[in-house]
Amino acid sequence: MPPKPCQPGPKDSLLQCFIKRNRSTQTYYLYLGLTNSALSDGGKFLLAARKCRRPTCTDYIISLLAEDFSKGTNTYAGRLRSNFLGTKFTVFDGQSPQAGAKMGKSRSSRLANLRQVSPSSNYPMAHISYELNMLGSRGPRRMQCNMNTIPATSIAPGGLDPTTQAELNPYQSTPTSFLSKSASMENSVSDQKNGGLVLINKAPRWHEQLQCWCLNFHGRVTIASVKNFQLVASPENGPAGPEHEKIILQFGKVGKDLFTMDYRYPISVFQAFAICLSSFETRIACE
């Protein structure tokens, strides 16, 4: 069964997906499966996104349907917005996790609020930033993802992310310490200080024979590209533990317009897809 957009990935392994890009329509399609053979299986489609370039930013509208990108419908999942340079991004969820904090007093009104969908709420659930690449196209890009709604303790043994906690206790609101109160990309504060999960790209190694920077994708990536990356959890304090060595999200090129996307707990397929979309944007300051 395909995962739900907000459902965290599996804990024991990476869930393998791939992204198909349509250059003519600036549309990106996410499928569940190992290879592009899943295109022939109608049950494998997960999400779609369409790029909308604006004077001062770029939006990627994410939808539950392949051809409906209307923000005022229940098929609207959220969006990814970049700044003008394409170095900073914000992931907006279609429904705010704070909806639970606004529940009515009666049980019937609480259930009604749980079922309510707010396509225009545009809750900022993650911030993505790319650092200046001093080596140009020869050097690896550095990226960081501040996951506003996921506590850093979620990757510890026995840890639970807010989505799982909400399923166990649906009437308990998401802890405010993990919720950003500002949608501004420029005012993003370190989520580590507030206990939020921070993802960083795994540092590649220089291959002397190939004369290039390399990462081990275990056969899931076949074409070298500056877009390729692997994300791991950043240690809060002190030395990194085994939980910080696990790949949480990896993305890479396997064809002209075909890319693999593999993700795991604690991020969801929606969050993984939005982060990967940021890699498609041209960064003037980073390349």
Side-chain angles (χ1 to χ4, degrees):
M1 179 181 295
K4 297 179 181 179
C6 295
Q7 177 184 354
K11 286 189 174 184
D12 299 331
S13 61
L14 290 167
L15 190 60
Q16 297 180 327
C17 309
F18 70 94
I19 298 172
K20 178 72 174 179
R21 175 176 57 184
N22 187 322
R23 292 175 181 264
S24 62
T25 61
Q26 294 290 284
T27 307
Y28 304 82
Y29 302 97
L30 177 66
Y31 296 88
L32 176 66
L34 302 178
T35 66
N36 58 357
S37 61
L39 285 169
S40 60
D41 189 343
K44 298 296 185 180
F45 170 79
L46 296 178
L47 293 168
R50 178 159 293 172
K51 183 178 181 178
C52 302
R53 191 174 296 279
R54 309 187 189 283
T56 59
C57 64
T58 299
D59 279 345
Y60 290 81
I61 307 301
I62 304 175
S63 173
L64 301 176
L65 295 181
E67 300 300 334
D68 184 2
F69 297 94
S70 303
K71 293 178 64 177
T73 66
N74 289 344
T75 62
Y76 171 70
R79 64 188 169 99
L80 172 76
R81 167 164 289 187
S82 76
N83 64 354
F84 177 74
L85 293 178
T87 56
K88 295 182 183 296
F89 298 78
T90 299
V91 180
F92 294 94
D93 192 2
Q95 184 177 13
S96 169
Q98 289 181 309
K102 301 178 181 179
M103 297 176 185
K105 295 182 179 180
S106 67
R107 185 175 186 274
S108 60
S109 62
R110 288 198 299 264
L111 293 175
N113 283 333
L114 285 174
R115 290 192 297 264
Q116 184 178 3
V117 178
S118 304
S120 60
S121 61
N122 289 329
Y123 176 78
M125 65 186 311
H127 293 87
I128 307 165
S129 62
Y130 289 82
E131 293 186 15
L132 178 66
N133 188 350
M134 302 302 294
L135 297 177
S137 59
R138 293 183 61 254
R141 296 188 302 194
R142 297 181 61 185
M143 62 185 296
Q144 176 174 300
C145 304
N146 296 345
M147 311 304 295
N148 298 351
T149 58
I150 304 178
T153 54
S154 63
I155 63 171
L160 295 178
D161 71 297
T163 303
T164 306
Q165 291 176 1
E167 292 175 353
L168 296 176
N169 188 359
Y171 303 128
Q172 180 179 357
S173 60
T174 303
T176 56
S177 60
F178 306 126
L179 303 181
S180 172
K181 296 181 180 179
S182 172
S184 172
M185 292 181 290
E186 303 298 333
N187 296 326
S188 175
V189 181
S190 174
D191 288 281
Q192 284 181 305
K193 295 180 180 180
N194 297 326
L197 179 67
V198 176
L199 303 178
I200 57 175
N201 61 310
K202 189 173 183 179
R205 296 181 179 180
W206 179 255
H207 197 291
E208 288 292 342
Q209 294 181 341
L210 298 178
Q211 288 294 296
C212 66
W213 297 95
C214 296
L215 286 168
N216 186 3
F217 287 92
H218 300 282
R220 289 288 289 164
V221 176
T222 58
I223 299 178
S225 172
V226 70
K227 295 180 175 64
N228 302 345
F229 66 80
Q230 291 178 323
L231 294 184
V232 296
S234 175
E236 289 186 84
N237 296 293
E243 65 273 17
H244 300 102
E245 297 296 325
K246 290 183 178 180
I247 303 298
I248 294 179
L249 172 64
Q250 67 177 20
F251 171 81
K253 193 172 185 179
V254 293
K256 181 180 180 181
D257 292 301
L258 194 64
F259 305 81
T260 54
M261 184 196 90
D262 304 335
Y263 75 101
R264 74 189 319 152
Y265 175 93
I267 66 173
S268 66
V269 65
F270 169 77
Q271 293 167 328
F273 188 39
I275 294 172
C276 291
L277 288 172
S278 71
S279 190
F280 287 105
E281 189 66 11
T282 301
R283 275 155 288 280
I284 299 175
C286 295
E287 298 184 13

